[in-house]
Amino acid sequence: MEMRPFEKCRLTGKVIELNYDVVVVGGGLAGICAAIAAARHGCRTAIVQDRPVFGGNSSSEVRVQATGANNCAAWARETGIVEEMLIEERARNHDLFLNGLINSQWDLVLYEWVKKEQNLTAYLNTRVVGVEMFSPNRISAVLGVQSGSERTYKLYASYFIDCTGDGTVGAAAGAEYRMGREARNEFEESLAPEQADKMTQGSSLLFRARDMGRPVPFTPPSWAEVYPTEESLYKRHHDYRVNPCGIREYAGYWWIEVGAPLDTIDQNEEIRDELLRRLLGVWDHIKNRGDHGAENMALDWIAAVPGKRESRRLMGDHILMENDVRNNTPFPDRVAYGGWFIDIHTMGGILAKNQPPEALGGNPDLSDQLRIRPYSIPLRCLYSQNIENLFMAGRDISVTHVALGTTRVMLTCAVIGQAAGTAAALSVKKGITPRTLANSISLVKELQQTLLKDDCFILDCPNEDQADLARKASVSASSSMTLNLEPATASSPLELYRSQIFPVTASRVETLSLFLESFLDGEAPVNLEFLPTTDIWSFNEPKALLTSASVSVPPGFRGWVDFDLNLEVKPRQLYQVNVYGKPGLAWAMSKPLPGVAAAYKKPVWKRWGSEKPVYALRLNPPSMPFGPENVVSGVARPEKWTNIWISDPNAGFPQTLTLDFEENVSFNTVYLTFDTYLHQDTYSFPPLHRVPECVQDYVLKVLCEDEWKTVAEFKGNYQRRRVHRFATVNTRKLTLEVYASNGDPTARVYEIRVYKE
């Protein structure tokens, strides 16, 4: 019989046609943030997701922990919509948020965040199978089939955002796309292969196993792969972890990965089957081959959905490439940022049995080449070059294969999603194409300022919102904290070079002191370099040496060592100190503070690599970088300065922060941004966690006829961002009174914005 695809087809169920301003296809973190952003800015928005839950690779179906820029940079965690959801998940969830452990509490948070938006309609279990075109370069509708209801939806919109990961909408519409690796000479990318090919990074299948308290046998199916020795799982570490209840678990592993030579779209099912075969072989190895101590362990969960890393990349007006990422190209239309290292997995994944699963696994010193500082992502990467009403967000944006190694992680995808959703809303408002938006200086600035107001971060892009009354206010506080980097019990060896960036408020540095330890029998020198720097991530940018000093540390010494610098400096600037010692010497760690960042370097490396610990340091005269003026600095996180008010930890509560507008002004809305410890990834927070540094109980008061009147009050806060709306007031002064934090002895505020909306 002659095959006639789709001719004379009949459908069960209803065919439903609906109109929206924006339709988002794909319900991973990029899609959720895009849809919520568009809805919050007044667009009638639909989000279409082909699974029963939101979250994509981070959902309880796949269970990959969401990561981003914080991996390679201090205080770089992504904020905005994704921060709201992650902070909420940690406050509610009794379990860890790590590979293989993510549970349905996360799915529920994502569902709630979608459902509470009045302008947003969700279509779960709905697979978009095609598009209807208004013209060769414009989409009029997407076609989706909902599995359980047997409904077919035809969703019309002015703009579409492809967050499918696979670029499904774009491909159906005829959007230009790439799949595979570019040749090295096309974009002069050092990490690209000599010849272009169609190979992509693979997909992973995760699992979880638990301790049952008694021996549990495991007999693999006959078709499972056999890994008889540790060498047969070359460089693929498979240790256990201890859960919050003190019980051993095996969970993961991301390196159970299969990709090239298989096609990650067309052969997705074959990849899933091969992954399951390999996963059961890995579990057989852990249980039955070698001494892993897994006798009492039983499989608790195995994913049925592979977590995909790479497939189509839809081409925009700019293709982000390796040199853009390495050099942090200052795009005028920058709307998002990344910072994960250039993480390109071994082609074939676990099929490449004699190679490590990724480059650093084979040679950790490659971090000198692969780790980067935060970089900008332009709007021109977030819309199609030839489909005029198509945005994209997530791993299908306009990047090369090499650049995808850093942009593909989920928290980067999330902030890209919020940028794309906000851009779509602005395009609806103005009735313009994405290209028109990207090519207008004034409209790009409006988009950037909107994203900042919504608690996104854009590199070197401060608040310049003319409607924000707080920008012109003078600010005072009941107390402020001195830079206090006192020693903790742990220390780091100086056989690795160490570096630290910190804020200085005085015009001189007479003495800089480090808390050092010696485990040597004789004296040993410690050498120090003192340099100016531009921001907390600029360890590797060229800079002029201001001075150097050397001190001999006595044998068996533990205490403060003074370096006499007698140096004139520019006040309210960041400075960098590089410290060189030898094995047997150590520098004591300290509690991280906003605006303080540290790095390390092996002697053979050319570049410093970011690290999470910071180190004990004193300045004479002392530095006072946490003053109240920081809340109107225009930046709501550490960047070129601390940009945060922190009260004196010895002063107790309550603490007050007062804005004086110097004349009566009218307003009805206050935006508050608190401290949720952006130095640490939320996945490393323990279960049921509320960030101690975050303000918990507070009131907002205004001065009316010489009396303070309360206009807003909140108890039990643990979120970074709160927006308070109230009846319009006319006043000269606004005060925030903080009565409690979630555990820290200080009150901390990054930003206050004031509007009449």
Side-chain angles (χ1 to χ4, degrees):
M1 178 183 290
E2 180 185 358
M3 305 292 284
R4 296 181 179 180
F6 300 112
E7 285 189 18
K8 300 181 180 180
C9 284
R10 296 181 179 181
L11 299 174
T12 58
K14 304 173 183 176
V15 177
I16 300 173
E17 297 183 284
L18 296 164
N19 279 290
Y20 293 94
D21 297 317
V22 177
V23 170
V24 178
V25 183
L29 297 191
I32 290 172
C33 292
I36 291 174
R40 287 183 179 179
H41 285 286
C43 293
R44 292 174 296 110
T45 306
I47 182 169
V48 186
Q49 163 71 332
D50 62 354
R51 305 296 306 171
V53 296
F54 293 113
N57 282 347
S58 75
S59 74
S60 66
E61 292 188 315
V62 186
R63 300 190 184 184
V64 178
Q65 68 196 46
T67 54
N70 230 22
N71 174 265
C72 293
W75 307 100
R77 195 172 81 226
E78 293 76 6
T79 51
I81 294 168
V82 74
E83 165 81 354
E84 299 170 20
M85 299 185 296
L86 288 167
I87 290 293
E88 188 69 25
E89 186 277 340
R90 284 293 77 201
R92 292 188 193 183
N93 206 330
H94 64 280
D95 210 339
L96 298 172
F97 193 88
L98 297 173
N99 286 341
L101 306 184
I102 297 167
N103 61 34
S104 294
Q105 278 291 338
W106 176 232
D107 301 340
L108 181 59
V109 168
L110 300 178
Y111 182 80
E112 286 184 29
W113 249 246
V114 169
K115 294 296 286 185
K116 69 182 180 180
E117 294 299 329
Q118 293 183 349
N119 292 325
L120 181 55
T121 303
Y123 298 90
L124 289 168
N125 292 306
T126 303
R127 174 74 179 175
V128 168
V129 296
V131 302
E132 179 181 276
M133 301 299 291
F134 177 80
S135 66
N137 63 346
R138 187 174 183 87
I139 304 170
S140 61
V142 294
L143 305 175
V145 178
Q146 194 170 55
S147 57
S149 68
E150 298 185 349
R151 294 175 177 177
T152 298
Y153 285 101
K154 193 173 186 182
L155 304 179
Y156 294 86
S158 301
Y159 301 88
F160 298 84
I161 309 179
D162 189 331
C163 302
T164 62
D166 286 337
T168 302
V169 176
E176 296 291 334
Y177 70 85
R178 295 182 177 216
M179 190 166 175
R181 303 189 292 180
E182 290 85 1
R184 184 173 302 169
N185 62 3
E186 182 175 2
F187 296 103
E188 301 300 324
E189 294 181 304
S190 66
L191 299 176
E194 289 288 347
Q195 300 296 325
D197 57 41
K198 296 299 183 182
M199 292 199 288
T200 63
Q201 296 180 90
S203 306
S204 291
L205 207 65
L206 304 186
F207 73 96
R208 180 177 189 167
R210 290 182 168 179
D211 192 333
M212 304 304 295
R214 58 182 176 81
V216 179
F218 174 73
T219 302
S222 59
W223 42 266
E225 182 72 5
V226 176
Y227 296 103
T229 64
E230 293 299 300
E231 289 72 25
S232 62
L233 287 170
Y234 180 68
K235 299 287 186 180
R236 289 165 172 85
H237 303 292
H238 41 279
D239 298 330
Y240 65 85
R241 64 165 64 95
V242 178
N243 75 9
C245 298
I247 299 173
R248 292 204 318 172
E249 292 182 322
Y250 284 88
Y253 300 100
W254 62 263
W255 48 258
I256 302 177
E257 174 184 352
V258 171
L262 302 180
D263 185 309
T264 52
I265 297 176
D266 182 63
Q267 295 176 288
N268 182 70
E269 295 302 296
E270 291 92 328
I271 288 173
R272 191 271 321 282
D273 293 346
E274 183 63 21
L275 282 167
L276 182 59
R277 194 174 79 81
R278 300 282 174 165
L279 185 154
L280 292 174
V282 170
W283 185 240
D284 170 53
H285 170 85
I286 292 171
K287 284 285 292 185
N288 302 323
R289 304 172 190 275
D291 184 16
H292 296 92
E295 293 79 9
N296 293 353
M297 307 299 292
L299 282 173
D300 176 70
W301 169 84
I302 298 174
V305 181
K308 204 177 286 188
R309 287 181 181 83
E310 182 179 4
S311 51
R312 297 187 190 98
R313 307 185 308 280
L314 304 176
M315 294 296 101
D317 280 351
H318 181 78
I319 302 174
L320 194 74
M321 63 194 80
E322 179 183 345
N323 288 327
D324 290 331
V325 167
R326 289 197 184 278
N327 300 329
N328 180 23
T329 303
F331 300 107
D333 60 329
R334 59 193 181 277
V335 291
Y337 72 101
W340 184 259
F341 71 102
I342 305 176
D343 182 12
I344 305 171
H345 288 198
T346 299
M347 295 296 107
I350 201 169
L351 303 180
K353 60 183 180 179
N354 296 321
Q355 299 180 51
E358 52 88 22
L360 289 178
N363 179 9
D365 285 342
L366 284 177
S367 64
D368 189 29
Q369 302 175 32
L370 302 181
R371 297 194 183 276
I372 51 179
R373 58 161 287 155
Y375 59 86
S376 293
I377 299 170
L379 177 62
R380 285 167 296 143
C381 291
L382 310 188
Y383 62 84
S384 169
Q385 66 177 227
N386 66 307
I387 304 299
E388 65 180 22
N389 64 337
L390 178 63
F391 288 93
M392 54 268 193
R395 61 179 175 82
D396 60 4
I397 66 169
S398 182
V399 296
T400 65
H401 165 82
V402 171
L404 180 72
T406 169
T407 63
R408 63 180 173 80
V409 291
M410 280 184 276
L411 297 187
T412 303
C413 292
V415 295
I416 290 171
Q418 186 164 354
T422 307
L426 186 57
S427 298
V428 169
K429 177 183 175 182
K430 302 291 185 180
I432 56 175
T433 66
R435 178 173 288 120
T436 300
L437 171 57
N439 290 332
S440 166
I441 295 174
S442 61
L443 290 176
V444 165
K445 185 172 182 179
E446 182 177 347
L447 173 59
Q448 291 171 332
Q449 291 300 312
T450 302
L451 288 166
L452 294 178
K453 186 178 180 182
D454 293 340
D455 198 29
C456 293
F457 174 64
I458 303 172
L459 290 161
D460 196 21
C461 186
N463 172 17
E464 297 177 350
D465 188 349
Q466 296 298 316
D468 178 10
L469 301 173
R471 293 179 62 236
K472 299 179 181 179
S474 59
V475 191
S476 59
S478 51
S479 70
S480 296
M481 177 179 169
T482 304
L483 182 67
N484 183 20
L485 295 168
E486 292 300 298
T489 54
S491 60
S492 293
L494 286 179
E495 60 191 79
L496 298 176
Y497 302 155
R498 306 282 172 184
S499 184
Q500 186 148 295
I501 289 173
F502 51 91
V504 176
T505 54
S507 59
R508 290 189 62 82
V509 176
E510 300 289 349
T511 306
L512 184 147
S513 303
L514 310 179
F515 196 94
L516 302 177
E517 291 185 86
S518 174
F519 303 95
L520 302 173
D521 295 330
E523 288 193 353
V526 172
N527 300 313
L528 176 149
E529 297 174 340
F530 192 92
L531 312 97
T533 196
T534 54
D535 61 47
I536 60 170
W537 307 303
S538 57
F539 287 98
N540 293 297
E541 277 70 3
K543 50 186 73 83
L545 178 67
L546 295 179
T547 190
S548 60
S550 181
V551 171
S552 289
V553 180
F557 178 83
R558 185 177 188 275
W560 289 102
V561 175
D562 296 335
F563 293 80
D564 294 324
L565 302 184
N566 299 316
L567 185 67
E568 288 189 5
V569 296
K570 293 182 180 179
R572 288 188 61 82
Q573 297 286 327
L574 297 179
Y575 289 87
Q576 177 177 341
V577 59
N578 299 335
V579 179
Y580 306 92
K582 60 183 294 187
L585 296 175
W587 188 2
M589 296 179 186
S590 186
K591 180 181 179 180
L593 287 172
V596 180
Y600 71 102
K601 183 166 70 170
K602 291 185 178 181
V604 296
W605 289 3
K606 296 179 180 178
R607 302 173 72 252
W608 297 97
S610 176
E611 61 177 341
K612 291 302 178 189
V614 302
Y615 297 98
L617 180 149
R618 286 177 177 172
L619 292 170
N620 178 30
S623 184
M624 297 288 293
F626 304 117
E629 68 281 358
N630 289 332
V631 302
V632 292
S633 69
V635 183
R637 67 165 67 217
E639 186 188 24
K640 297 180 179 180
W641 190 243
T642 64
N643 300 316
I644 189 172
W645 167 62
I646 303 179
S647 68
D648 183 347
N650 299 312
F653 292 104
Q655 291 288 321
T656 61
L657 188 68
T658 300
L659 274 64
D660 186 342
F661 304 101
E662 299 182 356
E663 62 181 0
N664 278 6
V665 295
S666 296
F667 58 88
N668 55 19
T669 307
V670 174
Y671 289 63
L672 299 171
T673 305
F674 300 122
D675 182 5
T676 48
Y677 197 54
L678 300 181
H679 191 54
Q680 189 171 347
D681 289 300
T682 51
Y683 66 72
S684 64
F685 289 164
L688 304 174
H689 182 69
R690 299 186 178 196
V691 177
E693 292 84 358
C694 187
V695 167
Q696 177 178 270
D697 302 333
Y698 61 91
V699 299
L700 285 169
K701 296 181 178 181
V702 295
L703 186 62
C704 295
E705 297 179 353
D706 298 325
E707 291 187 4
W708 289 99
K709 173 186 175 183
T710 297
V711 293
E713 182 175 4
F714 202 96
K715 292 184 177 180
N717 174 62
Y718 48 85
Q719 285 283 355
R720 170 177 156 91
R721 169 58 69 92
R722 289 287 175 192
V723 180
H724 293 282
R725 305 184 193 279
F726 40 84
T728 300
V729 295
N730 187 264
T731 183
R732 174 176 171 164
K733 291 185 177 182
L734 168 70
T735 288
L736 169 68
E737 291 188 1
V738 178
Y739 294 106
S741 72
N742 282 277
D744 194 82
T746 61
R748 300 184 179 210
V749 181
Y750 271 114
E751 184 176 63
I752 296 181
R753 290 176 176 236
V754 179
Y755 294 93
K756 185 176 182 181
E757 295 184 334

